[in-house]
Amino acid sequence: MEEPVTLVALARAAGVSKTTASDALRNSGRVSERTRQHVVSVANRLGYSPNPSARSLRRASTGAIGLHVPEILTRSEYYMSFVFGVVDEAARQDYDVTLITSRRGTFPRVDGVVLGDPLEADVVVRGLMTSSVPVVTCERFTGDSEPAGVVLSDHAAVLAELLDHLRAAGARRIALLASSAVTDWGATLQRTYREWCRAADVPPRLRELPFGSPPTAVQDTVAALLNEDIDALVCAPDGAAMAALPVLRAAGRHIGDDLLLASCVDSTPLGQADPPVTAIDLRPRAAGAACAKLLFDLMNGQAEQGAVLGHPIGLVERASTGKP
């Protein structure tokens, strides 16, 4: 019987190294499009067919990466979009994704892990951070351990842009319904808001919600803030702005007129609300894909330990802050 064509034989026939041939076939690494097409052409001519089992054995691979997101927030549109982004990139790399939950008793058999907005107090997160596999986090981990890579967004700059936008629209008593500072994102938003208030010489009106608070807690806090005669409200937690809308209407406030409303996390319902709500677009699906891509680059030796990748986000102005 004719022997199957090996990767070494393919690389020799294509006149490239074994690593270049492998990268070209997987469409990864620093391989030019011309080289990739040449390797693929030679592979097709020779009838080369990769052996997934052998490939996994050669690189001691499980063929899967792990993904952990805060279990309490799995109903969040942001986190579900983030998950799909990780799955998209993993599929492109011919990998499966194993969802890691707090109920798992043993460490999963994976080649690396993505952590979405990791909580320092989460024992599962702490265990993953000290594991032997590379870990990539979306935002920084506030604990003692350092991940192999981080995907970061400039939340401070975009929140400052949002606060400037509200002030330009006439708001002078801007309140922040803040997420808990137990995550890097929550801490960054609180710090930025306080610094902005100090620079603008206005007293901060900040109320912090515990991580994963239900809508009823949001509504009770918003009702209390209305007693302070605020003229603008920025809601940090995902879903908080939508939960606040009925409370604001019941109090006789007119969104986009005598009270401006904005969210630090955009979502489909915010864009469809009446009026549509101004929000920060965190591009969660792209963020998930970026985290997975950085993890694969680390696993393949194409990124250095401690790599930091920027992820762009932006402000979407809508009628709730006076913009038609």
Side-chain angles (χ1 to χ4, degrees):
M1 293 180 61
E2 185 177 347
E3 290 289 333
V5 179
T6 65
L7 182 61
V8 173
L10 166 62
R12 188 181 300 114
V16 299
S17 69
K18 179 181 174 182
T19 299
T20 298
S22 176
D23 287 344
L25 293 172
R26 291 186 294 113
N27 195 23
S28 64
R30 298 182 178 89
V31 179
S32 70
E33 180 61 22
R34 181 177 179 180
T35 299
R36 190 192 70 80
Q37 290 180 1
H38 171 63
V39 171
V40 170
S41 175
V42 173
N44 291 335
R45 175 168 57 83
L46 296 179
Y48 172 77
S49 178
N51 184 328
S53 298
R55 182 176 60 187
S56 294
L57 288 172
R58 281 196 302 272
R59 65 186 184 189
S61 168
T62 65
I65 61 171
L67 169 63
H68 178 275
V69 295
E71 196 168 334
I72 196 171
L73 296 178
T74 51
R75 292 188 300 272
S76 158
E77 180 178 326
Y78 170 86
Y79 280 105
M80 290 309 299
S81 295
F82 182 87
V83 168
F84 282 121
V86 174
V87 171
D88 287 344
E89 181 60 26
R92 200 176 75 82
Q93 302 280 352
D94 292 328
Y95 263 72
D96 295 326
V97 177
T98 298
L99 187 62
I100 304 171
T101 70
S102 58
R103 294 184 176 87
R104 193 180 189 103
T106 58
F107 189 86
R109 294 185 65 253
V110 294
D111 296 339
V113 176
V114 171
L115 299 180
D117 208 7
L119 290 168
E120 180 184 358
D122 190 323
V123 294
V124 175
V125 168
R126 292 203 302 268
L128 293 170
M129 287 293 298
T130 57
S131 67
S132 60
V133 301
V135 174
V136 169
T137 64
C138 186
E139 309 308 329
R140 296 194 185 278
F141 179 59
T142 57
D144 296 331
S145 304
E146 290 291 335
V150 182
V151 172
L152 280 179
S153 297
D154 197 346
H155 299 285
V158 183
L159 177 58
E161 179 186 351
L162 169 58
L163 294 170
D164 288 341
H165 165 68
L166 294 173
R167 189 172 180 83
R172 294 297 178 267
R173 298 176 300 281
I174 305 172
L176 173 66
L177 186 58
S179 292
S180 173
V182 296
T183 66
D184 180 52
W185 176 72
T188 298
L189 294 185
Q190 289 199 31
R191 182 177 62 252
T192 301
Y193 172 73
R194 293 185 188 276
E195 291 174 351
W196 185 90
C197 288
R198 185 162 53 249
D201 196 25
V202 296
R205 296 170 171 84
L206 186 150
R207 298 291 183 276
E208 180 181 301
L209 287 172
F211 195 73
S213 294
T216 52
V218 173
Q219 293 169 344
D220 291 344
T221 306
V222 170
L225 275 171
L226 290 176
N227 294 327
E228 299 186 20
D229 193 29
I230 62 173
D231 57 11
L233 174 63
V234 178
C235 297
D238 189 9
M242 289 301 297
L245 277 173
V247 177
L248 300 175
R249 290 171 180 148
R253 306 302 293 268
H254 300 283
I255 312 300
D257 185 9
D258 66 348
L259 188 136
L260 307 182
L261 177 65
S263 172
C264 292
V265 184
D266 200 7
S267 67
T268 301
L270 290 177
Q272 298 173 348
D274 184 20
V277 178
T278 291
I280 296 175
D281 182 7
L282 301 178
R283 302 177 62 241
R285 191 158 188 156
C291 287
K293 176 64 166 59
L294 179 55
L295 178 60
F296 286 117
D297 286 346
L298 286 161
M299 289 161 47
N300 295 329
Q302 293 161 3
E304 296 182 357
Q305 180 82 14
V308 177
L309 179 67
H311 173 63
I313 58 176
L315 180 64
V316 181
E317 298 175 13
R318 299 188 179 114
S320 69
T321 56
K323 185 178 179 64

